[in-house]
Amino acid sequence: MLQNIDPEIFQAILDEEQRQANWMELIASENYQSKAVLQAQSSVFANKYAEWFVWKRYYGWQENTDKIEQLAIERAKKLFHADHANVQALSGAAANLCVYTALMNPWDTILWMDLSHWWHLTHWAPVTFISKVFNFIRYKTNENWDIDFDELRKLAHEHKPKIILAWFSAYTKTLDFDQFSEIANEVWAVAYADMSHIWWFIAAWLLPNPLDHWFQVMMTTTHKSLRWPRWALILSKWIVSNPLKKPEDTIENIPTRIDRAVFPWMQWWPHMNTIAGIAVALKEASTPEFREYARQALENAQILANELLNYWYKLVNWWTENHMIIMDFSKEDYSGWEVEKVLDKVWISTSKSTIPDDPRKPFDPSGLRIWMPAMTTRGVKWDDTKQIASFIHQAIQNRNDDSKLAETKKEVNSFCQKFPLP
């Protein structure tokens, strides 16, 4: 039907499907949804208005919408040990803004990781709206690329932030959540974790859960490692009450304060078809098969890191504890951006990345960020990962030889044919 109604869009969809099948996907924000999730997301729930909350809707006949949202909430609470889950946030950027507006007033202070040390634009950047509303104080990593908790504690006591934020988009170690929550407790701040890149390892019990370490709030986008629709979840601890009534601004009332910030303060109607997809994905994430998939992806990432080290490439932190790999080309005469473009020529999709205190500019940084979840979704395992490292090495070494790059592209294409899209 789409082919007849809009052949241009139909062709673009076919072309992108073909590209995804033929390319090796290593971008650390992309993955493949399951057919069940896609079916739920493409369902008739796209037709339904459902403003407000479960059992408290404004529009009529909400029995089915309430059912799927309640299932999503209960599944998220169980999987991530939360007292409450808001499943209506439209994206990670929107979810972060909802948390900030729920817990702070304009000009209040947030203590967060410096943008140059792997944090993300959605938490603060001079070009964003949020930078004009709140006061951001930045902490950094030390010379060993570890979180400098002495500096973090000093800044917390000096500036008395309302929120202390943990996590960033390209850090390769496991965070010490106890130290974060301890410092937050000392200054009466809310401990808030953005787990967008590693939440699936928390779901699979492979990495610690901040909510088990005295964090009050945790957020994730859902389309990366989790293989879910593009959306966000906000999970929290403490008392859940009626979101139609304004609660006191206390830590105990964080769940309801967040609900009211999501709707009606920051956004309006939730997309019920996407929430249906989220509910299905949460059920998938609670299975032994998902835990095995996550374990395989982490092993693949560590094998890839080890193979790159064997080729004498420098990695930030020299390893990965959480599946994120950052190649460091700061001592080379070529940049991470140049390597990204070379890998594009052989149909390996990656993304450039800054490194701490990068000597190069943000749009031509020294780093390259890669991961293994998407290719693990397609069935890649141990020896296959070694072959991927070989492809990367071949492309970099032959970056100025188009004929050899063409040969590598053929090999990559042949490799990808063995691992079809799910």
Side-chain angles (χ1 to χ4, degrees), residues 43 66 100 132 281 373 389 405:
S43 68
D66 285 346
Y100 293 158
K132 304 180 187 301
L405 290 176

Side-chain angles (χ1 to χ4, degrees), residues 6 50 63 78 84 107 120 134 160 308 318 376 391 393:
D6 195 331
E63 180 178 346
K78 182 178 180 180
H84 182 57
W107 323 127
H120 197 272
F134 303 111
K160 299 296 191 294
L308 293 173
W318 301 106
T376 305
F391 291 143
H393 177 62

Side-chain angles (χ1 to χ4, degrees), residues 18-78:
Q18 190 69 18
R19 187 204 65 80
Q20 290 187 21
N22 291 331
W23 281 56
M24 184 181 296
E25 186 57 72
L26 302 182
I27 289 181
S29 300
E30 299 191 10
N31 208 332
Y32 309 102
Q33 297 180 32
S34 71
K35 287 186 177 180
V37 170
L38 286 170
Q39 286 174 345
Q41 196 176 2
S42 302
S43 68
V44 293
F45 279 111
N47 303 331
K48 186 61 181 165
Y49 264 45
E51 69 175 54
W52 293 97
F53 299 99
V54 176
W55 318 128
K56 296 176 177 65
R57 311 286 186 182
Y58 185 80
Y59 283 82
W61 190 250
Q62 300 288 343
E63 180 178 346
N64 297 318
T65 51
D66 285 346
K67 183 183 299 182
I68 63 167
E69 185 166 345
Q70 189 63 45
L71 280 170
I73 290 169
E74 294 304 321
R75 289 170 181 176
K77 286 165 55 179
K78 182 178 180 180

Side-chain angles (χ1 to χ4, degrees), residues 1 29 52 125 145 170 174 194 196 218 238 271 292 302 305 337 369 375 382 393 406 408 415:
M1 183 177 292
S29 300
W52 293 97
W145 293 327
T174 301
D194 180 343
S196 294
M218 183 165 67
W238 296 101
H271 303 173
E292 174 58 25
Q302 292 175 341
W337 177 81
R369 186 178 66 164
M375 294 309 295
W382 306 280
H393 177 62
T408 302
F415 178 90

Side-chain angles (χ1 to χ4, degrees), residues 19 77 80 112 131 133 148 179 195 216 226 312:
R19 187 204 65 80
K77 286 165 55 179
F80 297 110
W112 70 296
S131 68
V133 179
D148 190 337
Q179 287 213 61
M195 299 286 97
Q216 288 88 23
L226 288 168
W312 296 98

Side-chain angles (χ1 to χ4, degrees), residues 212-330:
D212 293 337
H213 294 266
W214 305 103
F215 273 63
Q216 288 88 23
V217 186
M218 183 165 67
M219 190 282 294
T220 187
T221 52
T222 55
H223 57 277
K224 298 182 175 78
S225 55
L226 288 168
R227 300 183 60 199
W228 300 2
R230 291 182 174 269
W231 204 245
L233 303 181
I234 307 172
L235 292 101
S236 53
K237 289 288 191 179
W238 296 101
I239 299 170
V240 182
S241 58
N242 183 357
L244 302 187
K245 296 181 180 179
K246 187 179 186 305
E248 293 184 19
D249 289 341
T250 64
I251 284 182
E252 291 79 7
N253 288 324
I254 280 177
T256 307
R257 291 164 67 187
I258 288 173
D259 276 348
R260 290 174 61 87
V262 173
F263 182 92
W265 185 246
M266 293 305 303
Q267 61 182 50
W268 215 247
W269 297 280
H271 303 173
M272 296 312 301
N273 57 315
T274 304
I275 291 177
I278 293 294
V280 173
L282 280 162
K283 186 170 185 178
E284 291 178 342
S286 66
T287 64
E289 291 79 10
F290 184 87
R291 290 191 287 273
E292 174 58 25
Y293 158 64
R295 183 198 61 75
Q296 183 68 61
L298 184 57
E299 287 187 11
N300 286 347
Q302 292 175 341
I303 289 170
L304 181 60
N306 189 64
E307 289 297 303
L308 293 173
L309 290 172
N310 288 340
Y311 287 120
W312 296 98
Y313 293 108
K314 183 180 180 182
L315 306 182
V316 171
N317 290 323
W318 301 106
W319 191 237
T320 179
E321 296 177 1
N322 61 20
H323 82 84
M324 200 77 68
I325 299 171
I326 311 296
M327 301 181 73
D328 178 1
F329 302 105
S330 57

